[in-house]
Amino acid sequence: QVQLVESGGGLVQAGGSLRLSCAASGRTFRSYSMGWFRQAPGKEREFVAAISWSGSISNYADSVKGRFTISRDNAKNTLYLQMNSLRPEDMAVYYCARGSLTERARDYDVWGQGTQVTVSS
């Protein structure tokens, strides 16, 4: 059974940067597209970014384009999300998920437990 474990969240001032990581167990990580989602209190889970199995194709939500970069290292079974120019509205629990390049959460079948990102203004 594949497990995903996020790390790298924390408290940062507006305008700052964080890099999230998602470590995957098992040997199938490199076979799947992967994505990042986030959920703020009282809001629905929303798509942030996704990347193809090879890393050659990526997809971003409009709200993070130009500020966030998704990447992966298949040799390390790890997915990353580099977040720059953070804003208070980026504050949420961030989840990595396996399975798709789409923006629909239902297209992803394995989810991590999430990591909290807090942005102070």
Side-chain angles (χ1 to χ4, degrees):
Q1 179 74 8
V2 172
Q3 289 188 325
L4 303 175
V5 179
E6 301 95 336
S7 62
L11 173 64
V12 63
Q13 287 188 333
S17 298
L18 280 176
R19 187 175 83 155
L20 306 183
S21 298
C22 171
S25 64
R27 300 180 179 179
T28 61
F29 174 79
R30 64 190 66 196
S31 300
Y32 289 89
S33 296
M34 298 290 297
W36 287 98
F37 285 75
R38 66 188 182 186
Q39 187 166 20
K43 295 188 176 182
E44 292 187 354
R45 190 168 297 190
E46 66 171 354
F47 171 78
V48 175
I51 190 168
S52 62
W53 67 271
S54 66
S56 62
I57 301 171
S58 57
N59 181 24
Y60 293 92
D62 288 344
S63 59
V64 306
K65 279 181 183 175
R67 300 187 299 122
F68 291 11
T69 302
I70 189 171
S71 63
R72 66 191 298 163
D73 185 336
N74 287 340
K76 295 182 178 179
N77 276 13
T78 304
L79 176 73
Y80 302 100
L81 184 69
Q82 177 67 43
M83 305 187 295
N84 298 329
S85 302
L86 281 161
R87 304 167 179 169
E89 54 263 39
D90 294 318
M91 185 162 59
V93 177
Y94 282 71
Y95 300 88
C96 64
R98 185 188 79 169
S100 181
L101 278 170
T102 74
E103 301 180 9
R104 297 184 298 266
R106 66 178 182 268
D107 293 337
Y108 296 76
D109 62 349
V110 180
W111 293 79
Q113 83 291 345
T115 185
Q116 176 70 49
V117 171
T118 301
V119 183
S120 63
S121 56

